[in-house]
Amino acid sequence: MTEIVLMKVSNILVPHDEAAAAFIQKMKAGELTHADFKRVRNYKFHKKYFALLDFAFEQWEPSGQLTYQGMPVAKNKERFRKDLIILAGFYESTVNIRSEVRLEAKSISFAVMDEIEFERLYNATVDVILRRILTRYTRQDLDNVINQLLAFT
């Protein structure tokens, strides 16, 4: 399943971003596609959240030289995102086949997380980032950086 964002212009739906445009471009003329429409909670705020994550990821440096079975371990943006969501308190507890408890990050998809919960997640994520990664920043400092980054997009 592919999720794309469309925007209404006059009486037509048009792609909102490059991913949506690429998806539509790949469709053949006359090809049918099923769509389940939902209003996007706040696309600009969603973009702001990912700008926050990207900035924090760039600033984050794991401590020490990490290896697994003799191989170096690299930073992973997706794992970082999920860890921040979990640390922010938005997770579900699960158990694996070895009876170990695991925490799984809640989905932030538009279909699953509403505007109110997403705003709570954003604020809790900022708190985690300030406490664990950007310890010399204030909330205002971080907000200013994110707003500047968004001005360039």
Side-chain angles (χ1 to χ4, degrees), residues 8-21:
K8 182 178 178 186
V9 177
S10 296
N11 261 346
I12 327 172
L13 292 175
V14 297
H16 183 263
D17 55 22
E18 290 180 27

Side-chain angles (χ1 to χ4, degrees), residues 16-104:
H16 183 263
D17 55 22
E18 290 180 27
F23 177 81
I24 292 169
Q25 181 71 32
K26 290 178 185 174
M27 291 177 65
K28 296 178 182 162
E31 179 180 351
L32 297 178
T33 301
H34 171 79
D36 182 13
F37 289 96
K38 293 179 174 68
R39 288 188 186 268
V40 174
R41 65 175 167 247
N42 180 337
Y43 189 70
K44 287 182 180 180
F45 194 48
H46 190 78
K47 284 178 65 172
K48 184 175 182 176
Y49 183 70
F50 278 92
L52 171 70
L53 295 178
D54 288 345
F55 180 70
F57 182 75
E58 290 171 12
Q59 301 303 310
W60 172 61
E61 285 300 324
S63 56
Q65 292 284 13
L66 301 177
T67 61
Y68 179 73
Q69 296 183 347
M71 302 294 291
V73 177
K75 289 172 35 172
N76 179 284
K77 194 180 283 190
E78 184 65 13
R79 179 74 261 154
F80 180 79
R81 178 186 69 81
K82 289 178 180 181
D83 286 344
L84 283 179
I85 291 171
I86 291 167
L87 290 169
F90 291 79
Y91 60 84
E92 295 174 359
S93 301
T94 62
V95 63
N96 67 14
I97 199 161
R98 293 180 287 194
S99 296
E100 298 166 328
V101 174
R102 295 282 187 225
L103 302 180
E104 296 293 331

Side-chain angles (χ1 to χ4, degrees), residues 48-62 75 80 84 87 122-147 149:
K48 184 175 182 176
Y49 183 70
F50 278 92
L52 171 70
L53 295 178
D54 288 345
F55 180 70
F57 182 75
E58 290 171 12
Q59 301 303 310
W60 172 61
E61 285 300 324
K75 289 172 35 172
F80 180 79
L84 283 179
L87 290 169
Y122 182 89
N123 289 318
T125 302
V126 166
D127 292 343
V128 170
I129 290 169
L130 291 173
R131 198 170 50 248
R132 293 185 170 241
I133 300 166
L134 302 174
T135 57
R136 296 176 191 244
Y137 279 63
T138 65
R139 171 70 188 247
Q140 187 62 49
D141 293 336
L142 184 54
D143 287 343
N144 290 341
V145 169
I146 300 308
N147 289 332
L149 290 172

Side-chain angles (χ1 to χ4, degrees), residues 109-125:
S109 77
F110 292 119
V112 175
M113 190 175 280
D114 66 18
E115 186 80 31
I116 294 167
E117 188 176 20
F118 189 74
E119 188 169 338
R120 286 188 9 247
L121 169 66
Y122 182 89
N123 289 318
T125 302

